[in-house]
Amino acid sequence: MSVLIYAENAGGKFKKSIFEAVSYARAIADQSNTSVTAVSIGNVDATELALLSKYGADKVLNVSGDKLKDFVNQAYASVIAEAAKKEGSAVVVLSNTFSGRGLAPRVGVKLEAGVADGAVALPEQAGGSFKVKKTAFSGKAFATVELTSAIKVIALVPNSYKVVETGGTAQVEDFNVEPKASDFKAMIKEIVRSTDKVSLPDAEIVVSGGRGLKGPENWGMIEELAELLGAATACSKPVSDAGWRPHSEHVGQTGIAVSPNLYIAVGISGAIQHLAGVSSSKVIVVINKDPEAPFFKVADYGIVGDAFEVLPKLIAAVKEYKASA
């Protein structure tokens, strides 16, 4: 039973979530004393591909060429499925990113596999079945699903599994596969990535603001704290709807779901739709002047106070700590 990991890249580079997924695949493989193969699609150089072996890949299948240089959901799913067939993989692991969530069910159909998306822990293996702990109800609960199919597809939530360096050198080989013309019925014309900010889905720390900040002119405090912490900035839905911040920063059930190690919510009351998108965060800190704000019920730490008084003091404290470190 070999394990296949799809190594998604962004601009030819692998993000931390992919190294988490490789480490996760390695752990599954070790339970069955088998190998891990990574498949990379797009133009990724040899130095970057070699990083996959650092976290447990025994082999890397490199799929390059202009036709597949940009993400095409159905075509990429076909390539991953063909790679799984070539390697005889009984388990396929993806990162539960925006792309991964779209790929997992398509790969599952092509391989007639059971699918568990939103996985947050290693599966419990018993015979030929896998019991997988995953998020449910938009992150408000956990569920355990049992995969009894011969092939299993698992999509791992970013920041839910540790990165483990194993060393070693992987064999890299070109994998030439030609997707069907029907796989290209829907094409992505252009992908524009923000290069000057921490990516929200991959961020380990997120600083988020709500209507309590009163206007876009006050967002400098959020950005300064985020920069000091190496964090991504985010906002609530009313803030993006009002045009104070771009919709790409909207986190919540109808925006981007995040699962950072630390989520700092400033001036956000905590509507259920917002909580659904951030409840997978490991630690939640809430700053709000309303002691009855719903967010305090789920917070690990809470500060009842005016953001315009608390944030400057918090920023000063972080600066002082960094200066003394």
Side-chain angles (χ1 to χ4, degrees):
M1 180 196 75
S2 70
V3 180
L4 182 79
I5 156 73
Y6 165 55
E8 175 187 347
N9 73 84
K13 301 293 182 182
F14 299 124
K15 294 184 177 180
K16 175 176 170 284
S17 58
I18 299 307
F19 301 137
E20 293 170 1
V22 177
S23 298
Y24 182 84
R26 178 75 266 167
I28 292 174
D30 286 345
Q31 290 177 350
S32 304
N33 193 28
T34 189
S35 61
V36 175
T37 298
V39 57
S40 171
I41 308 174
N43 297 326
V44 180
D45 64 32
T47 302
E48 193 72 13
L49 290 173
L51 292 176
L52 299 173
S53 64
K54 185 178 179 181
Y55 304 99
D58 299 301
K59 182 196 291 187
V60 178
L61 300 179
N62 182 33
V63 184
S64 57
D66 290 340
K67 198 169 184 179
L68 291 169
K69 66 182 178 65
D70 293 322
F71 178 72
V72 181
N73 207 327
Q74 194 64 260
Y76 274 40
S78 294
V79 171
I80 295 167
E82 289 302 313
K85 292 174 184 177
K86 174 184 181 298
E87 295 298 305
S89 300
V91 181
V92 178
V93 175
L94 307 93
S95 181
N96 201 58
T97 59
F98 178 80
S99 299
R101 286 193 297 274
L103 285 168
R106 287 175 169 82
V107 173
V109 168
K110 292 177 184 295
L111 296 175
E112 297 183 354
V115 178
D117 62 348
V120 295
L122 279 174
E124 296 179 12
Q125 300 185 36
S129 72
F130 276 21
K131 289 184 178 180
V132 183
K133 182 180 179 181
K134 56 164 285 179
T135 57
F137 301 109
S138 299
K140 294 189 288 293
F142 293 107
T144 299
V145 298
E146 185 173 7
L147 304 180
T148 58
S149 53
I151 301 175
K152 289 95 174 162
V153 176
I154 303 175
L156 176 70
V157 173
N159 290 324
S160 63
Y161 193 78
K162 59 187 179 297
V163 174
V164 180
E165 292 189 23
T166 60
T169 303
Q171 171 191 352
V172 179
E173 64 179 61
D174 291 334
F175 181 49
N176 299 313
V177 58
E178 189 68 27
K180 300 176 183 177
S182 58
D183 288 337
F184 294 91
K185 286 182 178 179
M187 296 289 292
I188 295 176
K189 292 285 188 180
E190 183 182 16
I191 298 176
V192 179
R193 301 185 186 275
S194 176
T195 57
D196 59 340
K197 295 182 179 179
V198 179
S199 170
L200 256 179
D202 299 302
E204 295 191 27
I205 304 175
V206 175
V207 181
S208 188
R211 284 181 294 183
L213 286 167
K214 299 181 180 179
E217 67 277 3
N218 297 317
W219 231 260
M221 295 186 295
I222 296 290
E223 293 174 329
E224 185 176 6
L225 180 59
E227 185 177 354
L228 286 168
L229 296 175
T233 56
C235 68
S236 61
K237 185 177 187 296
V239 166
S240 63
D241 286 346
W244 294 2
R245 300 298 292 176
H247 284 283
S248 59
E249 291 191 2
H250 164 209
V251 294
Q253 188 171 30
T254 56
I256 298 173
V258 294
S259 52
N261 294 328
L262 173 62
Y263 183 81
I264 303 174
V266 183
I268 302 175
S269 62
I272 191 168
Q273 293 87 350
H274 187 84
L275 295 179
V278 305
S279 58
S280 294
S281 305
K282 290 183 175 62
V283 176
I284 296 176
V285 175
V286 172
I287 301 171
N288 200 299
K289 66 180 181 181
D290 178 10
E292 302 300 321
F295 225 146
F296 283 120
K297 295 179 181 179
V298 300
D300 296 284
Y301 301 94
I303 300 174
V304 178
D306 191 326
F308 295 94
E309 296 178 3
V310 175
L311 271 186
K313 293 179 180 179
L314 182 57
I315 289 169
V318 174
K319 285 181 177 178
E320 183 179 350
Y321 172 79
K322 294 186 74 173
S324 62

